[in-house]
Amino acid sequence: LEVARSALEDVQIELDAKKASLQICQTELERLDNENRDLREQVHVATCELDELRRAVAGADVMEQLDVCRTTIMDLQSQLEAQKAENRKRVIEFAEFRRSHARRMDAVERLERQLAEKDRELAHAKASLDALEQMLQSCSVQKM
């Protein structure tokens, strides 16, 4: 019974640690979503600037600026794609963590049921022992 209680406490400690890790993952996912949003906005701004430059094409300097904008847009798109890949990876990790967490919770529930069953068995054994002790006392009294 003590071993089961100790195991249950160990599982609870691990569960608390996993909950904290889950919160960190969720915060990180939110931060990554914000970064994604910022990168999309930068791509949009760069695209708008590119469109403005196209309308204002009037010389070699403008063409250089246009090339810079294209490069910036391509860089930002690459960053966005990398961020998307990282986010997908984190989502997969988060899903794996949730499955693992669910398995641990199932294990905790099983241990709690086993502990309750052992408590019932112990109570029954104590009641049987008390009854036997009363019978023994009764027999001792009758022999005297």
Side-chain angles (χ1 to χ4, degrees):
L1 190 58
E2 285 300 318
V3 170
R5 281 194 178 119
S6 176
L8 184 59
E9 290 173 3
D10 290 346
V11 169
Q12 187 62 45
I13 290 169
E14 185 178 341
L15 177 60
D16 291 344
K18 292 296 180 180
K19 283 179 183 177
S21 177
L22 174 62
Q23 182 61 43
I24 290 169
C25 286
Q26 287 174 329
T27 302
E28 182 65 16
L29 280 175
E30 290 172 9
R31 185 188 67 75
L32 292 172
D33 282 344
N34 290 337
E35 286 181 12
N36 259 353
R37 204 172 301 112
D38 292 343
L39 286 172
R40 281 190 204 110
E41 186 175 313
Q42 290 175 13
V43 167
H44 177 72
V45 168
T47 302
C48 290
E49 290 174 359
L50 180 60
D51 290 341
E52 287 177 22
L53 287 173
R54 282 185 181 140
R55 287 189 292 274
V57 172
D61 289 341
V62 172
M63 293 306 287
E64 285 180 33
Q65 290 177 355
L66 189 60
D67 287 339
V68 169
C69 285
R70 280 190 193 116
T71 303
T72 301
I73 287 172
M74 289 190 298
D75 289 346
L76 289 171
Q77 286 175 332
S78 295
Q79 290 177 23
L80 181 60
E81 290 304 315
Q83 192 66 52
K84 284 180 183 178
E86 179 66 24
N87 285 355
R88 282 190 290 273
K89 178 182 155 194
R90 295 223 181 234
V91 166
I92 290 168
E93 289 172 354
F94 182 68
E96 289 172 1
F97 170 78
R98 288 185 68 159
R99 285 190 295 274
S100 173
H101 175 69
R103 286 192 299 271
R104 283 186 180 83
M105 288 305 295
D106 290 344
V108 166
E109 289 173 7
R110 275 195 309 279
L111 284 172
E112 287 173 342
R113 286 191 301 272
Q114 290 173 356
L115 185 59
E117 179 62 28
K118 293 296 180 187
D119 283 342
R120 286 190 292 276
E121 289 175 10
L122 181 60
H124 179 69
K126 285 182 180 178
S128 296
L129 181 60
D130 290 344
L132 286 173
E133 285 177 347
Q134 286 178 352
M135 285 174 46
L136 185 59
Q137 287 177 353
S138 174
C139 287
S140 294
V141 168
Q142 287 177 358
K143 283 187 179 180
M144 289 183 178

